[in-house]
Amino acid sequence: MERTLSIVKPDGVRKGLIGEVIRRFEREGLKVVALKMVRITKEEAKAFYHVHRERPFFESLTDFMSSGPIVPMVIEGEGAIGKVREVMGATNPKEAAPGTIRREFADSIEANIVHGSDSPETARFEIGFFFNALEIHTRG
Ligand code: UDP
Ligand code: MG
């Protein structure tokens, strides 16, 4: 059983897509085992996305991610990391496959509705960034 971190980003929350994102994960048999709504600071956004600190989009991305409430959640299931990324679609909505969240709802490569961890190591860091052990509810 694998765990991953997903986030409904500020644009997804603004557009009323929290339920839509969750529905698409649950439809794939994935389980939500932790969930909250928070607003992170610019500094927290920089810490979360530290792997991208040298990239040209880092300043803009961290402004965007701290621009409003977000909904981080821990998703559990077989192959959860890959499944979540499949449901999300490619980073650039123009390149995302038809039927994916980003293709259907995203406005740009930055404002692309949803986040998903890209590896087990990243998932561990990202889950721990938002949740402690008591906040994660393993389900049968
Ligand atoms: N991003 C951006 N411009 C780019 C690439 C990425 O603004 O050229 C943003 C976008 O919001 C993306 C996030 O930075 O989701 C993290 O980038 P990554 O390459 O990790 O994409 P993801 O894993 O989210 O598909
Ligand atoms: Mg990524």
Side-chain angles (χ1 to χ4, degrees), residues 19-84:
E20 177 72 25
V21 170
I22 293 172
R23 186 181 69 86
R24 284 166 177 250
F25 293 154
E26 290 185 335
R27 197 168 62 183
E28 295 303 311
L30 296 163
K31 305 255 183 244
V32 179
V33 295
L35 176 133
K36 61 175 74 165
M37 179 180 271
V38 291
R39 181 165 181 174
I40 58 173
T41 64
K42 168 94 172 164
E43 286 312 306
E44 288 165 341
K46 284 181 168 178
F48 181 77
Y49 277 120
H50 72 277
V51 293
H52 293 313
R53 65 192 171 277
E54 307 294 344
R55 309 287 288 279
F57 57 81
F58 186 65
E59 280 304 317
S60 178
L61 171 63
T62 51
D63 280 340
F64 165 60
M65 287 301 287
S66 57
S67 69
I70 60 175
V71 178
M73 61 188 100
V74 180
I75 302 294
E76 190 175 85
E78 226 167 274
I81 294 170
K83 273 189 193 161
V84 162

Side-chain angles (χ1 to χ4, degrees), residues 9 49 52 57 61 85 91 102 109-110 112 115-116:
K9 296 184 178 185
Y49 277 120
H52 293 313
F57 57 81
L61 171 63
R85 290 191 65 92
T91 310
R102 285 167 164 175
I109 192 167
E110 177 177 88
N112 59 7
H115 170 84

